[in-house]
Amino acid sequence: MEELMVIDSFMDDREFRNYIGTLLKNRGYTDVLIEDSRIADGRSDNDNDLLVRYEGRTYTVQTFLNREITAREIIETAQDIDIENADGGILITNTAVSEDVKKLAGEKQVEIWDRAVLEEIL
């Protein structure tokens, strides 16, 4: 898909995060708040946060561009659920995610939107 080619080749991390914020708004998520750790939570390892609401629930969203998703990213997202006092987490990436990582995500209440999901919704 052409949009994924643009994402893969021309976006940087912040552009991808902002793009995902708009995508979430267009899919019915509300109160989309982009948190940039450089000015919000002081955690330099965590500058891809969005907070959103959907059907009365709050979610922390982590975006990862052109990066392999491992257990570390799932743990980071799960930690953000606690830090942000959210109901769940969503990890969004333009790469494929292994079944083992998806299984861990399910155990940690983290929903994965990987390349296959983006291909369906874009």
Side-chain angles (χ1 to χ4, degrees), residues 20-29:
I20 293 301
T22 300
L23 176 68
L24 291 168
K25 285 179 191 176
N26 291 340
R27 296 189 59 80
Y29 290 78

Side-chain angles (χ1 to χ4, degrees), residues 24-38:
L24 291 168
K25 285 179 191 176
N26 291 340
R27 296 189 59 80
Y29 290 78
T30 61
D31 302 329
V32 176
L33 171 67
I34 296 173
E35 282 195 340
D36 191 325
S37 69
R38 295 169 303 162

Side-chain angles (χ1 to χ4, degrees), residues 23-91:
L23 176 68
L24 291 168
K25 285 179 191 176
N26 291 340
R27 296 189 59 80
Y29 290 78
T30 61
D31 302 329
V32 176
L33 171 67
I34 296 173
E35 282 195 340
D36 191 325
S37 69
R38 295 169 303 162
I39 58 175
D41 64 14
R43 292 177 54 208
S44 62
D45 65 332
N46 185 14
D47 64 355
N48 294 321
D49 290 338
L50 293 99
L51 283 176
V52 299
R53 292 192 53 77
Y54 187 74
E55 296 181 347
R57 296 174 50 102
T58 300
Y59 296 89
T60 181
V61 179
Q62 294 286 307
T63 61
F64 295 97
L65 177 66
N66 297 327
R67 186 165 141 190
E68 179 183 3
I69 303 303
T70 66
R72 179 179 186 264
E73 287 78 20
I74 301 304
I75 300 298
E76 178 181 313
T77 304
Q79 289 171 340
D80 278 354
I81 293 170
D82 292 335
I83 291 167
E84 302 292 352
N85 198 25
D87 298 301
I90 305 170
L91 185 149

